[in-house]
């Protein structure tokens, strides 16, 4: 057989074969991931509905939680349905265009989770450290100034990363060892030089995720110092800040581990690398509604009232 690379052929159709080594056990992955998908869609939809319909939840903090729920609702839709179909029916084909669209969706929406945590940190900073200026800076018109810069930064970096990936030539194989089109999972199949893609990918990881993490850590550091000086007045806020930092640390650690696993020699198996990618992309969509919804007293009480009303009205009818 002639070497494909000498025939000037570039694949435009690919196969996603993540967890292929599990063999006959692979279809059973459908069950846990399907249940997680249902949880993510249902919980985030309810959270968005409650925040949208209840005027008592229209303050900046709850609007940000609603924004997080919106991101967590959209994120799984980009890749989980295809992944479930692949597990159950072995439908694993995807076009290059579809792969690039999925890649953009994953890598643009995913970092928005961390960016939203940064905005939440700003909200808590003004509420605790600068309460007299809270309403001034957290008004929609003023808060928009903090929103545009991170979104533009994210968009430019991700568009550049995806565009460069789309210009590559794929002539070695069309089998992607992953469950979805993650950037390096596709790029490593290219025949030419991918050093520029590597650099842009790392820039996206560190200028988005790592930069936001540093800003969030500094913000919460100031908040924690302020809380400790004030005594027990803001201990509840301190507990919330620590929860935010734990969630952010887990997300960032798994994300950077996934990014670097393609670029640094390591003993991480293919299945473990794919699982780490799923953790940082999919697990937050399942956990955030519980962390930012159920654990917050006002949202929890509103949800319980909603459930009680839903049960009472059918009885009245």
């Amino acid at each position: 057989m002639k070497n494909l690379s000498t025939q000037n052929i570039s694949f435009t159709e690919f196969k996603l074969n993540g967890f292929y080594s599990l063999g006959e056990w692979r279809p059973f992955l459908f069950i846990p991931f399907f249940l997680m998908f249902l949880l993510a869609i249902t919980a985030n939809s309810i959270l968005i509905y409650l925040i949208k319909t209840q005027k008592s939840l229209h303050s900046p903090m709850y609007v940000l939680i609603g924004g997080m729920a919106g991101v967590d609702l959209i994120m799984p839709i980009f890749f989980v349905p295809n992944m479930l179909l692949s597990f159950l029916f072995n439908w694993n084909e995807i076009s290059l265009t579809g792969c690039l669209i999925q890649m953009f969706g994953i890598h643009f929406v995913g970092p928005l989770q961390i960016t939203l945590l940064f905005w939440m940190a700003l909200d808590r900073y003004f509420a605790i450290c600068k309460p007299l200026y809270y309403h001034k800076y957290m008004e929609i018109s003023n808060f928009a100034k903090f929103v545009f810069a991170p979104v533009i930064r994210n968009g430019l970096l991700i568009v550049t990363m995806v565009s460069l990936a789309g210009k590559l030539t794929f002539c070695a194989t069309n089998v992607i060892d992953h469950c979805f089109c993650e950037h390096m999972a596709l790029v490593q199949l290219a025949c030419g030089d991918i050093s520029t893609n590597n650099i842009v990918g790392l820039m996206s990881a560190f200028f988005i995720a790592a930069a936001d993490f540093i800003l969030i850590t500094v913000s919460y550091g100031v908040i924690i110092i302020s809380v400790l000086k004030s005594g027990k007045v803001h201990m509840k806020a301190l507990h919330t800040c620590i929860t935010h930092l734990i969630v952010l640390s887990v997300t960032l650690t798994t994300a950077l581990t996934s990014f670097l696993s393609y670029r640094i020699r390591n003993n991480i198996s293919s299945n473990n690398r794919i699982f780490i990618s799923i953790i940082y992309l999919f697990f937050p969509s399942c956990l955030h509604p519980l962390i930012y919804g159920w654990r917050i007293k006002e949202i929890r009480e509103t949800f319980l009232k909603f459930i009680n009303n839903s049960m009472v009205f059918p009885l009245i009818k």
Side-chain angles (χ1 to χ4, degrees):
M1 181 181 290
K2 294 183 179 179
N3 192 328
L4 288 174
S5 62
T6 64
Q7 298 181 26
N8 198 27
I9 293 175
S10 182
F11 290 109
T12 57
E13 298 289 334
F14 297 90
K15 294 182 179 180
L16 296 162
N17 73 334
F19 298 116
Y20 190 78
S21 61
L22 295 179
E24 61 183 8
W25 294 100
R26 188 172 181 267
F28 289 97
L29 292 175
F30 173 87
I31 298 173
F33 287 120
F34 177 69
L35 294 176
M36 289 173 59
F37 183 63
L38 283 182
L39 172 63
I41 297 299
T42 303
N44 286 296
S45 296
I46 292 174
L47 190 54
I48 292 171
Y49 174 79
L50 292 177
I51 293 173
K52 181 180 179 181
T53 58
Q54 301 300 316
K55 292 184 179 180
S56 60
L57 301 179
H58 286 180
S59 65
M61 182 181 72
Y62 300 121
V63 172
L64 285 173
I65 292 174
M68 177 69 80
V71 171
D72 290 335
L73 179 65
I74 295 171
M75 186 66 199
I77 295 175
F78 278 109
F79 69 96
V80 175
N82 285 349
M83 186 172 73
L84 294 176
L85 291 173
S86 175
F87 290 154
L88 199 60
F89 302 110
N90 205 30
W91 295 351
N92 54 8
E93 291 82 9
I94 188 169
S95 66
L96 177 60
T97 301
C99 191
L100 294 173
I101 292 173
Q102 188 183 72
M103 184 191 300
F104 174 81
I106 289 171
H107 290 289
F108 179 73
V109 176
L112 282 179
Q113 294 174 331
I114 298 177
T115 302
L116 276 164
L117 288 173
F118 168 58
W119 295 338
M120 288 181 182
L122 284 177
D123 176 85
R124 293 299 85 201
Y125 170 77
F126 286 118
I128 296 172
C129 301
K130 304 286 183 181
L132 296 178
Y133 299 95
Y134 179 78
H135 293 290
K136 175 183 177 181
Y137 287 106
M138 295 308 293
E139 287 180 355
I140 297 300
S141 58
N142 290 325
F143 184 69
K145 298 175 184 177
F146 299 107
V147 173
F148 288 132
V151 170
I152 293 173
R153 175 203 61 183
N154 295 4
L156 289 175
L157 286 170
I158 301 305
V159 167
T160 301
M161 184 179 74
V162 174
S163 299
L164 289 173
K167 294 179 180 179
L168 294 173
T169 299
F170 304 96
C171 56
T173 179
N174 69 335
V175 178
I176 302 175
D177 188 16
H178 215 300
C179 293
F180 46 85
C181 287
E182 195 174 44
H183 177 244
M184 284 306 299
L186 175 67
V187 168
Q188 68 177 358
L189 302 183
C191 299
D193 180 26
I194 61 171
S195 58
T196 301
N197 302 82
N198 269 316
I199 293 171
V200 174
L202 286 172
M203 287 176 59
S204 300
F206 286 100
F207 281 108
I208 297 177
D212 285 349
F213 177 75
I214 293 171
L215 292 172
I216 292 169
T217 302
V218 171
S219 299
Y220 281 145
V222 175
I223 292 171
I224 290 171
I225 292 172
S226 177
V227 169
L228 293 176
K229 287 182 178 179
S230 64
K232 296 183 179 180
V233 178
H234 295 298
M235 289 307 293
K236 180 181 177 182
L238 178 62
H239 181 69
T240 301
C241 292
I242 292 174
T243 301
H244 287 193
L245 283 174
I246 292 173
V247 173
L248 177 63
S249 298
V250 172
T251 302
L252 182 64
T253 300
T254 52
L256 291 179
T257 301
S258 175
F259 294 153
L260 295 175
S261 65
Y262 287 100
R263 299 171 172 88
I264 300 175
R265 286 189 177 184
N266 57 77
N267 295 322
I268 300 177
S269 67
S270 172
N271 288 345
N272 288 336
R273 186 171 62 243
I274 296 169
F275 184 69
I276 291 171
S277 297
I278 293 174
I279 287 177
Y280 89 84
L281 287 175
F282 191 19
F283 277 45
S285 296
C286 302
L287 297 179
H288 285 165
L290 302 177
I291 295 170
Y292 299 112
W294 184 255
R295 291 186 73 253
I296 295 177
K297 181 181 178 181
E298 292 78 4
I299 296 179
R300 183 172 67 250
E301 290 178 349
T302 302
F303 173 72
L304 292 175
K305 288 180 182 178
F306 170 75
I307 294 297
N308 289 334
N309 292 337
S310 300
M311 295 176 65
V312 170
F313 286 144
L315 293 176
I316 294 176
K317 292 180 181 179

